[in-house]
Short mmCIF file of all heavy atoms in Angstrom, two decimals:
data_model
loop_
_atom_site.label_atom_id
_atom_site.label_comp_id
_atom_site.label_asym_id
_atom_site.label_seq_id
_atom_site.Cartn_x
_atom_site.Cartn_y
_atom_site.Cartn_z
N ASP A 388 136.87 154.73 77.41
CA ASP A 388 138.07 155.18 76.71
C ASP A 388 137.67 155.64 75.31
O ASP A 388 137.38 154.82 74.43
CB ASP A 388 139.09 154.03 76.62
CG ASP A 388 140.45 154.50 76.12
OD1 ASP A 388 140.52 155.57 75.48
OD2 ASP A 388 141.44 153.77 76.34
N LYS A 389 137.66 156.94 75.10
CA LYS A 389 137.24 157.49 73.81
C LYS A 389 138.19 157.12 72.68
O LYS A 389 137.79 157.00 71.52
CB LYS A 389 137.10 159.01 73.91
CG LYS A 389 135.96 159.47 74.80
CD LYS A 389 135.83 160.99 74.82
CE LYS A 389 134.67 161.43 75.72
NZ LYS A 389 134.52 162.91 75.74
N THR A 390 139.48 156.95 73.02
CA THR A 390 140.44 156.60 71.96
C THR A 390 140.13 155.22 71.38
O THR A 390 140.38 154.97 70.21
CB THR A 390 141.88 156.62 72.51
OG1 THR A 390 142.00 155.69 73.59
CG2 THR A 390 142.25 158.01 73.00
N VAL A 391 139.60 154.32 72.22
CA VAL A 391 139.20 153.00 71.74
C VAL A 391 138.09 153.13 70.70
O VAL A 391 138.12 152.48 69.65
CB VAL A 391 138.72 152.12 72.93
CG1 VAL A 391 137.96 150.90 72.43
CG2 VAL A 391 139.91 151.69 73.77
N VAL A 392 137.12 154.00 70.99
CA VAL A 392 136.00 154.21 70.06
C VAL A 392 136.50 154.83 68.76
O VAL A 392 136.13 154.40 67.66
CB VAL A 392 134.92 155.11 70.70
CG1 VAL A 392 133.73 155.26 69.77
CG2 VAL A 392 134.48 154.54 72.04
N GLU A 393 137.36 155.81 68.88
CA GLU A 393 137.88 156.49 67.69
C GLU A 393 138.68 155.54 66.82
O GLU A 393 138.54 155.55 65.58
CB GLU A 393 138.74 157.69 68.12
CG GLU A 393 137.93 158.81 68.77
CD GLU A 393 138.82 159.85 69.43
OE1 GLU A 393 140.07 159.66 69.41
OE2 GLU A 393 138.28 160.83 69.98
N GLU A 394 139.50 154.72 67.46
CA GLU A 394 140.31 153.76 66.67
C GLU A 394 139.42 152.77 65.94
O GLU A 394 139.62 152.49 64.76
CB GLU A 394 141.27 153.00 67.57
CG GLU A 394 142.18 152.05 66.79
CD GLU A 394 142.75 150.93 67.62
OE1 GLU A 394 143.07 151.16 68.80
OE2 GLU A 394 142.88 149.81 67.08
N PHE A 395 138.39 152.26 66.64
CA PHE A 395 137.52 151.29 65.99
C PHE A 395 136.78 151.93 64.81
O PHE A 395 136.68 151.32 63.74
CB PHE A 395 136.50 150.72 66.98
CG PHE A 395 135.51 149.79 66.32
CD1 PHE A 395 135.86 148.48 66.04
CD2 PHE A 395 134.25 150.25 65.94
CE1 PHE A 395 134.98 147.63 65.39
CE2 PHE A 395 133.35 149.39 65.30
CZ PHE A 395 133.73 148.09 65.03
N LEU A 396 136.27 153.12 65.01
CA LEU A 396 135.52 153.78 63.93
C LEU A 396 136.42 154.06 62.73
O LEU A 396 135.98 153.96 61.57
CB LEU A 396 134.88 155.07 64.44
CG LEU A 396 133.72 154.87 65.43
CD1 LEU A 396 133.24 156.21 65.98
CD2 LEU A 396 132.57 154.12 64.77
N GLN A 397 137.65 154.42 62.98
CA GLN A 397 138.59 154.63 61.87
C GLN A 397 138.79 153.33 61.10
O GLN A 397 138.78 153.32 59.86
CB GLN A 397 139.92 155.15 62.40
CG GLN A 397 139.88 156.60 62.86
CD GLN A 397 141.19 157.05 63.48
OE1 GLN A 397 142.10 156.24 63.69
NE2 GLN A 397 141.29 158.33 63.80
N ARG A 398 138.99 152.24 61.83
CA ARG A 398 139.15 150.94 61.17
C ARG A 398 137.87 150.57 60.40
O ARG A 398 137.93 150.09 59.27
CB ARG A 398 139.45 149.85 62.21
CG ARG A 398 140.84 149.90 62.80
CD ARG A 398 141.05 148.73 63.76
NE ARG A 398 142.36 148.75 64.37
CZ ARG A 398 143.46 148.24 63.81
NH1 ARG A 398 143.38 147.68 62.61
NH2 ARG A 398 144.61 148.29 64.43
N TRP A 399 136.72 150.77 61.05
CA TRP A 399 135.46 150.39 60.42
C TRP A 399 135.22 151.18 59.14
O TRP A 399 134.80 150.62 58.11
CB TRP A 399 134.31 150.60 61.41
CG TRP A 399 132.98 150.23 60.83
CD1 TRP A 399 131.98 151.07 60.46
CD2 TRP A 399 132.51 148.91 60.56
NE1 TRP A 399 130.91 150.37 59.97
CE2 TRP A 399 131.22 149.03 60.01
CE3 TRP A 399 133.07 147.64 60.71
CZ2 TRP A 399 130.47 147.94 59.62
CZ3 TRP A 399 132.32 146.54 60.32
CH2 TRP A 399 131.04 146.69 59.78
N ASN A 400 135.48 152.47 59.19
CA ASN A 400 135.27 153.31 58.01
C ASN A 400 136.26 152.99 56.89
O ASN A 400 135.96 153.15 55.71
CB ASN A 400 135.36 154.79 58.39
CG ASN A 400 134.21 155.22 59.28
OD1 ASN A 400 133.09 154.69 59.18
ND2 ASN A 400 134.46 156.17 60.18
N HIS A 401 137.45 152.54 57.29
CA HIS A 401 138.46 152.16 56.30
C HIS A 401 138.13 150.82 55.66
O HIS A 401 138.45 150.56 54.50
CB HIS A 401 139.84 152.11 56.95
CG HIS A 401 140.94 151.73 56.01
ND1 HIS A 401 141.40 152.57 55.02
CD2 HIS A 401 141.66 150.58 55.89
CE1 HIS A 401 142.36 151.97 54.33
NE2 HIS A 401 142.53 150.75 54.85
N GLY A 402 137.48 149.95 56.44
CA GLY A 402 137.13 148.62 55.94
C GLY A 402 137.76 147.53 56.81
O GLY A 402 138.98 147.54 57.03
N MET A 403 136.92 146.61 57.29
CA MET A 403 137.40 145.50 58.10
C MET A 403 137.02 144.19 57.43
O MET A 403 136.38 144.17 56.38
CB MET A 403 136.81 145.59 59.52
CG MET A 403 137.26 146.83 60.29
SD MET A 403 136.48 147.03 61.92
CE MET A 403 137.19 145.66 62.82
N LEU A 404 137.43 143.08 58.04
CA LEU A 404 137.18 141.76 57.46
C LEU A 404 135.69 141.60 57.14
O LEU A 404 134.85 141.68 58.02
CB LEU A 404 137.62 140.67 58.45
CG LEU A 404 137.41 139.22 57.99
CD1 LEU A 404 138.33 138.88 56.83
CD2 LEU A 404 137.66 138.25 59.16
N PRO A 405 135.36 141.37 55.87
CA PRO A 405 133.94 141.26 55.50
C PRO A 405 133.30 140.01 56.10
O PRO A 405 133.97 139.03 56.43
CB PRO A 405 133.99 141.16 53.97
CG PRO A 405 135.34 141.63 53.57
CD PRO A 405 136.25 141.28 54.71
N ARG A 406 131.99 140.04 56.20
CA ARG A 406 131.24 138.86 56.63
C ARG A 406 131.42 137.76 55.59
O ARG A 406 131.59 138.00 54.41
CB ARG A 406 129.76 139.20 56.81
CG ARG A 406 129.51 140.15 57.98
CD ARG A 406 128.02 140.45 58.11
NE ARG A 406 127.24 139.26 58.43
CZ ARG A 406 127.07 138.76 59.64
NH1 ARG A 406 127.66 139.35 60.68
NH2 ARG A 406 126.34 137.68 59.84
N GLY A 407 131.38 136.52 56.08
CA GLY A 407 131.52 135.39 55.16
C GLY A 407 132.94 134.95 54.91
O GLY A 407 133.16 133.88 54.33
N ARG A 408 133.93 135.73 55.34
CA ARG A 408 135.33 135.35 55.16
C ARG A 408 135.83 134.57 56.37
O ARG A 408 135.26 134.63 57.46
CB ARG A 408 136.21 136.60 54.97
CG ARG A 408 135.88 137.42 53.73
CD ARG A 408 136.29 136.72 52.45
NE ARG A 408 135.95 137.51 51.27
CZ ARG A 408 136.73 138.45 50.74
NH1 ARG A 408 137.90 138.72 51.30
NH2 ARG A 408 136.35 139.11 49.67
N VAL A 409 136.93 133.84 56.17
CA VAL A 409 137.53 133.04 57.24
C VAL A 409 138.31 133.95 58.18
O VAL A 409 139.01 134.86 57.74
CB VAL A 409 138.44 131.95 56.66
CG1 VAL A 409 139.13 131.17 57.78
CG2 VAL A 409 137.63 131.01 55.77
N PHE A 410 138.20 133.67 59.49
CA PHE A 410 138.92 134.44 60.51
C PHE A 410 139.83 133.54 61.32
O PHE A 410 139.48 132.40 61.65
CB PHE A 410 137.93 135.13 61.45
CG PHE A 410 138.58 135.69 62.69
CD1 PHE A 410 139.28 136.87 62.65
CD2 PHE A 410 138.50 135.00 63.91
CE1 PHE A 410 139.90 137.38 63.80
CE2 PHE A 410 139.10 135.50 65.05
CZ PHE A 410 139.80 136.69 64.99
N SER A 411 141.00 134.03 61.63
CA SER A 411 141.89 133.42 62.61
C SER A 411 142.63 134.54 63.32
O SER A 411 143.15 135.45 62.67
CB SER A 411 142.89 132.47 61.95
OG SER A 411 143.93 132.14 62.86
N ALA A 412 142.69 134.47 64.65
CA ALA A 412 143.38 135.50 65.43
C ALA A 412 144.89 135.43 65.26
O ALA A 412 145.60 136.28 65.79
CB ALA A 412 143.01 135.37 66.90
N MET A 413 145.39 134.42 64.53
CA MET A 413 146.83 134.28 64.36
C MET A 413 147.36 134.97 63.10
O MET A 413 148.51 134.76 62.71
CB MET A 413 147.20 132.79 64.37
CG MET A 413 146.91 132.16 65.72
SD MET A 413 147.47 130.47 65.88
CE MET A 413 146.54 129.95 67.32
N TYR A 414 146.50 135.78 62.49
CA TYR A 414 146.94 136.65 61.41
C TYR A 414 146.93 138.07 61.95
O TYR A 414 145.88 138.57 62.39
CB TYR A 414 146.02 136.51 60.20
CG TYR A 414 146.16 135.18 59.50
CD1 TYR A 414 145.57 134.04 60.01
CD2 TYR A 414 146.92 135.07 58.33
CE1 TYR A 414 145.72 132.81 59.39
CE2 TYR A 414 147.07 133.84 57.69
CZ TYR A 414 146.47 132.71 58.23
OH TYR A 414 146.64 131.50 57.60
N PRO A 415 148.08 138.76 61.96
CA PRO A 415 148.21 140.05 62.65
C PRO A 415 147.12 141.06 62.30
O PRO A 415 146.56 141.70 63.19
CB PRO A 415 149.60 140.54 62.21
CG PRO A 415 150.36 139.29 61.96
CD PRO A 415 149.37 138.32 61.39
N GLN A 416 146.81 141.22 61.00
CA GLN A 416 145.79 142.19 60.59
C GLN A 416 144.44 141.84 61.21
O GLN A 416 143.73 142.70 61.74
CB GLN A 416 145.68 142.22 59.07
CG GLN A 416 144.52 143.05 58.53
CD GLN A 416 144.76 144.55 58.64
OE1 GLN A 416 145.92 144.99 58.66
NE2 GLN A 416 143.70 145.33 58.73
N LEU A 417 144.08 140.57 61.15
CA LEU A 417 142.78 140.14 61.66
C LEU A 417 142.75 140.22 63.19
O LEU A 417 141.72 140.55 63.78
CB LEU A 417 142.46 138.72 61.19
CG LEU A 417 142.49 138.49 59.67
CD1 LEU A 417 141.99 137.09 59.34
CD2 LEU A 417 141.67 139.54 58.94
N GLN A 418 143.87 139.90 63.81
CA GLN A 418 143.93 140.01 65.27
C GLN A 418 143.73 141.45 65.72
O GLN A 418 142.99 141.72 66.67
CB GLN A 418 145.26 139.48 65.79
CG GLN A 418 145.36 139.48 67.31
CD GLN A 418 146.74 139.10 67.80
OE1 GLN A 418 147.57 139.95 68.12
NE2 GLN A 418 147.01 137.79 67.85
N GLU A 419 144.37 142.38 65.04
CA GLU A 419 144.23 143.79 65.41
C GLU A 419 142.78 144.24 65.31
O GLU A 419 142.29 144.98 66.16
CB GLU A 419 145.12 144.65 64.51
CG GLU A 419 146.61 144.51 64.77
CD GLU A 419 147.44 145.30 63.77
OE1 GLU A 419 146.84 146.07 62.99
OE2 GLU A 419 148.67 145.14 63.77
N GLU A 420 142.09 143.79 64.27
CA GLU A 420 140.70 144.18 64.10
C GLU A 420 139.82 143.56 65.18
O GLU A 420 138.92 144.22 65.72
CB GLU A 420 140.21 143.77 62.71
CG GLU A 420 140.89 144.55 61.58
CD GLU A 420 140.40 144.14 60.20
OE1 GLU A 420 139.44 143.34 60.12
OE2 GLU A 420 140.94 144.64 59.20
N ALA A 421 140.09 142.31 65.50
CA ALA A 421 139.32 141.64 66.55
C ALA A 421 139.54 142.31 67.90
O ALA A 421 138.60 142.51 68.68
CB ALA A 421 139.69 140.17 66.62
N VAL A 422 140.78 142.65 68.20
CA VAL A 422 141.10 143.31 69.47
C VAL A 422 140.44 144.69 69.54
O VAL A 422 139.96 145.11 70.59
CB VAL A 422 142.63 143.42 69.66
CG1 VAL A 422 142.97 144.27 70.87
CG2 VAL A 422 143.24 142.03 69.80
N SER A 423 140.38 145.36 68.40
CA SER A 423 139.74 146.68 68.35
C SER A 423 138.27 146.57 68.73
O SER A 423 137.74 147.38 69.49
CB SER A 423 139.90 147.28 66.96
OG SER A 423 139.28 148.55 66.88
N PHE A 424 137.59 145.55 68.20
CA PHE A 424 136.18 145.36 68.55
C PHE A 424 136.04 144.88 69.99
O PHE A 424 135.12 145.30 70.71
CB PHE A 424 135.52 144.37 67.58
CG PHE A 424 134.05 144.18 67.84
CD1 PHE A 424 133.18 145.25 67.79
CD2 PHE A 424 133.54 142.92 68.14
CE1 PHE A 424 131.82 145.08 68.03
CE2 PHE A 424 132.19 142.74 68.39
CZ PHE A 424 131.32 143.83 68.33
N PHE A 425 136.94 144.00 70.44
CA PHE A 425 136.91 143.57 71.83
C PHE A 425 137.03 144.77 72.76
O PHE A 425 136.29 144.88 73.75
CB PHE A 425 138.04 142.59 72.12
CG PHE A 425 138.36 142.48 73.59
CD1 PHE A 425 137.57 141.72 74.44
CD2 PHE A 425 139.43 143.18 74.14
CE1 PHE A 425 137.84 141.64 75.80
CE2 PHE A 425 139.71 143.11 75.50
CZ PHE A 425 138.91 142.33 76.34
N ASN A 426 137.96 145.66 72.49
CA ASN A 426 138.15 146.83 73.35
C ASN A 426 136.89 147.68 73.42
O ASN A 426 136.57 148.28 74.45
CB ASN A 426 139.33 147.66 72.85
CG ASN A 426 140.67 147.06 73.22
OD1 ASN A 426 140.79 146.37 74.24
ND2 ASN A 426 141.68 147.28 72.39
N LEU A 427 136.17 147.75 72.31
CA LEU A 427 134.91 148.48 72.30
C LEU A 427 133.92 147.84 73.26
O LEU A 427 133.27 148.52 74.07
CB LEU A 427 134.35 148.49 70.87
CG LEU A 427 133.25 149.51 70.54
CD1 LEU A 427 133.80 150.93 70.62
CD2 LEU A 427 132.68 149.24 69.15
N LEU A 428 133.80 146.51 73.19
CA LEU A 428 132.90 145.79 74.10
C LEU A 428 133.38 145.89 75.55
O LEU A 428 132.59 146.08 76.48
CB LEU A 428 132.83 144.32 73.69
CG LEU A 428 132.20 143.99 72.34
CD1 LEU A 428 132.51 142.55 71.95
CD2 LEU A 428 130.69 144.21 72.39
N TYR A 429 134.68 145.79 75.73
CA TYR A 429 135.27 145.76 77.06
C TYR A 429 135.14 147.09 77.79
O TYR A 429 134.96 147.13 79.02
CB TYR A 429 136.74 145.37 76.94
CG TYR A 429 137.49 145.24 78.25
CD1 TYR A 429 137.26 144.17 79.10
CD2 TYR A 429 138.44 146.19 78.62
CE1 TYR A 429 137.95 144.04 80.29
CE2 TYR A 429 139.14 146.07 79.81
CZ TYR A 429 138.90 145.00 80.64
OH TYR A 429 139.58 144.87 81.82
N THR A 430 135.21 148.20 77.06
CA THR A 430 135.20 149.53 77.69
C THR A 430 133.80 150.13 77.77
O THR A 430 133.66 151.29 78.20
CB THR A 430 136.13 150.50 76.93
OG1 THR A 430 135.71 150.59 75.56
CG2 THR A 430 137.57 150.03 76.98
N ALA A 431 132.77 149.40 77.35
CA ALA A 431 131.40 149.89 77.51
C ALA A 431 131.13 150.14 79.00
O ALA A 431 131.41 149.28 79.84
CB ALA A 431 130.41 148.89 76.94
N LYS A 432 130.58 151.29 79.33
CA LYS A 432 130.44 151.69 80.73
C LYS A 432 129.42 150.84 81.50
O LYS A 432 129.52 150.70 82.71
CB LYS A 432 130.04 153.17 80.82
CG LYS A 432 131.17 154.13 80.51
CD LYS A 432 130.72 155.57 80.71
CE LYS A 432 131.86 156.55 80.45
NZ LYS A 432 131.43 157.96 80.61
#
């Protein structure tokens, strides 16, 4: 799914949760970023 790749790259270029910060999937912004990376892993051919 190319749209998955495009969405992730847009998020990545805009800026995502930096390393060293606390993560919880129960914060909407952080969940969206995690799901975006999951979709990238999930749709790998």
Side-chain angles (χ1 to χ4, degrees):
D388 190 340
K389 292 183 179 180
T390 59
V391 165
V392 183
E393 292 168 358
E394 183 202 324
F395 176 80
L396 290 175
Q397 287 175 353
R398 287 183 181 276
W399 180 252
N400 292 329
H401 180 72
M403 296 175 68
L404 180 67
R406 292 180 64 83
R408 297 289 179 88
V409 177
F410 167 78
S411 166
M413 295 186 196
Y414 289 78
Q416 172 74 26
L417 304 187
Q418 184 186 97
E419 289 175 8
E420 293 180 6
V422 172
S423 180
F424 182 59
F425 160 79
N426 283 330
L427 196 66
L428 294 167
Y429 182 73
T430 58
K432 286 184 178 179

